Amino acid sequence: MNDSYLIQVENLRKYFPIKMGFMKYNYVQAVEDVNFFIRKGETLGLVGESGCGKTTLGRAILRLHEPTSGKIFYEGKEITHVKMLPYRRKMQIIFQDPSASLDPRMTVGEIVGEAMDIHKLYNSKKDRLDKIQQLLTQVGLNSEHSNRYPHEFSGGQQQRIGIARALAVEPQFIVCDEPISALDVSIQSQIVNMLEDMQNELNLTYLFIAHDLSVVKHISNRIGVMYLGNIVELGKSYELNKNPLHPYTKTLLSAVPVPDPIKSRSRKRIILEGDIPSPMNPPSGCRFHTRCPYAVQRCREEVPEWREMAPDHFAACHII
Ligand code: SF4
């Protein structure tokens, strides 16, 4: 295990059982044999279509979903089967829909203070209140907001409350699960900038999940691309954008809008045929073979190996 890794996952799987009849089950194979690491202080972006398993993967790392098999390491210690309470403080999550993730019956102060209570992170009532007010100011809210309820705030402000709640326990690692996709475009960049400032100030490490490559490409040091439960390519953000290796990454990149109209006209958009297959019955071999324009017979029969194609640039494809 490399000392610079904060998180590492090995052969991680998460299947959800679906009852099909008396004593009969099928399984949604949401995450399949995933391997990667996240270095301390970096942002790893994770992209892919809706339903590809990004959120499940983020939650499995935090053990909000128990992994079906595989291993999770935090600072080199395996945490797959340990009691999570000590790690809950170090590993936090910011949810996609801020209005649904905040308890409407609790005041903002109670929401932000709740985790501080669980982990006993203050010396006195005054210390608790000071910390809550400091956190609210830190995320761009007013310290007097602590007595109000979530419904009194806009979507962007609610997400700021969610961020203050995550920061309240002084975490090292945060899963940002599509934190801006439910917000107005005008607010999105404010939240992204704030997350970046927090990262620099507090030396945080992020797993930043998004369905849109154009969102993660600016804020991520490295990007992982997910398709139907597999990570198919992972590399440095610049490298992945300039020199994508996997056919699916090329497809996603061809859909990212470019501001220059001349470049935009000369670019060829790759359109995938067919729908994304069901994770209950994924295709054999390479899971992308039913839609890949380069698929050959071997792709239908053999799962491609996850290999380091260039330094810090990994992919799984038979023809690379
Ligand atoms: Fe396409 Fe085959 Fe590569 Fe899969 S392994 S991405 S089907 S070429």
Side-chain angles (χ1 to χ4, degrees), residues 7 61-63 73-80 82-92 119 169 171-173:
I7 301 285
I61 292 171
L62 301 179
R63 301 256 318 274
F73 297 88
Y74 189 87
E75 287 190 307
K77 292 196 186 68
E78 193 185 339
I79 59 162
T80 328
V82 301
K83 286 208 167 68
M84 279 303 281
L85 187 61
Y87 291 95
R88 289 273 169 260
R89 198 186 147 188
K90 299 177 183 195
M91 305 165 83
Q92 284 290 306
H119 296 281
V169 289
Q172 296 171 314
F173 172 62

Side-chain angles (χ1 to χ4, degrees), residues 14-15 39 54 73 78 85 94 108 139 146 149 196 211 213 218 222 237 250 262 270 278 287 307 315 319:
K14 178 62 195 176
Y15 292 2
R39 295 190 178 97
K54 314 178 289 283
F73 297 88
E78 193 185 339
L85 187 61
I94 299 167
V108 170
V139 297
S146 65
Y149 288 87
E196 283 184 307
H211 58 264
L213 200 49
H218 296 296
R222 294 183 303 137
S237 181
K250 290 179 184 173
I262 298 168
I270 306 168
S278 164
R287 289 186 168 197
R307 288 179 294 139
I319 62 160

Side-chain angles (χ1 to χ4, degrees), residues 232 246-248 285-296 298-300 302-304 316-320:
V232 295
H246 196 279
Y248 182 59
C286 172
R287 289 186 168 197
F288 188 50
H289 86 247
T290 53
R291 301 172 81 197
C292 178
Y294 309 102
V296 293
R298 186 180 174 201
C299 306
R300 294 176 189 97
E302 239 180 83
V303 176
C317 173
H318 291 308
I319 62 160
I320 299 171

